[in-house]
């Protein structure tokens, strides 16, 4: 059984910062790609940032230069540092990990954490 637990969401004013964390636990053999998605009300879930097992990163255009994804393999954790936040960043943020566990190879999702950017 593998679980992902996110934390770090909240209410922040425009221009502010938040750091999201996502910790994976359970019968993990290896974690491959780690990613953050978000879903705003009435919109489809979208990929925000992704980091591979060797540290290569990719971002959607709207967050480039403002968000940074990082991983700590020793802690099975992925982070999303969000700076210069805008109201349009408001969404529920989900982490997704591609994991080889004792039960096989699968994608796992966290439960989501709300980020609200508002004055």
């Amino acid at each position: 059984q593998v679980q992902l637990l996110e934390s770090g969401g909240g209410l922040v004013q425009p221009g502010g910062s938040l750091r999201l964390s996502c910790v994976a636990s359970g019968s993990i053999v290896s974690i491959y790609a780690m990613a953050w998605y978000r879903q705003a009300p009435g919109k489809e879930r979208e990929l925000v940032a992704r980091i591979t097992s060797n540290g290569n990163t990719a971002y959607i255009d709207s967050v480039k230069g403002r968000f940074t994804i990082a991983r700590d393999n020793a802690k099975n954790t992925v982070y999303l540092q969000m700076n210069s936040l805008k109201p349009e960043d408001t969404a529920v943020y989900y982490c997704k990990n591609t994991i080889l566990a004792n039960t096989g190879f699968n994608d796992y999702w966290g439960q989501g954490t709300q980020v609200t950017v508002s004055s």
Side-chain angles (χ1 to χ4, degrees):
Q1 187 83 8
V2 173
Q3 292 184 327
L4 271 58
L5 181 63
E6 296 136 340
S7 61
L11 172 64
V12 63
Q13 292 186 341
S17 297
L18 285 174
R19 189 177 84 151
L20 306 182
S21 300
C22 173
V23 181
S25 62
S27 303
I28 297 169
V29 176
S30 184
I31 301 178
Y32 294 87
M34 307 172 94
W36 287 96
Y37 287 72
R38 67 186 180 187
Q39 187 166 19
K43 294 187 177 182
E44 293 187 354
R45 190 173 297 188
E46 64 177 354
L47 174 63
V48 175
R50 185 176 184 267
I51 184 167
T52 64
S53 57
N54 59 5
N56 291 329
T57 59
Y59 301 88
I60 57 170
D61 286 345
S62 60
V63 308
K64 285 180 180 178
R66 300 189 297 121
F67 290 11
T68 302
I69 189 170
R71 62 190 289 166
D72 184 334
N73 293 327
K75 297 181 178 180
N76 289 342
T77 300
V78 61
Y79 305 97
L80 186 67
Q81 178 67 44
M82 304 185 294
N83 299 328
S84 302
L85 282 161
K86 303 176 180 180
E88 51 263 43
D89 295 317
T90 295
V92 178
Y93 283 70
Y94 301 89
C95 64
K96 187 185 83 169
N97 288 0
T98 301
I99 295 175
L100 176 60
N102 288 347
T103 54
F105 191 77
N106 276 299
D107 288 335
Y108 295 87
W109 290 86
Q111 81 287 353
T113 185
Q114 177 70 47
V115 171
T116 302
V117 184
S118 175
S119 55

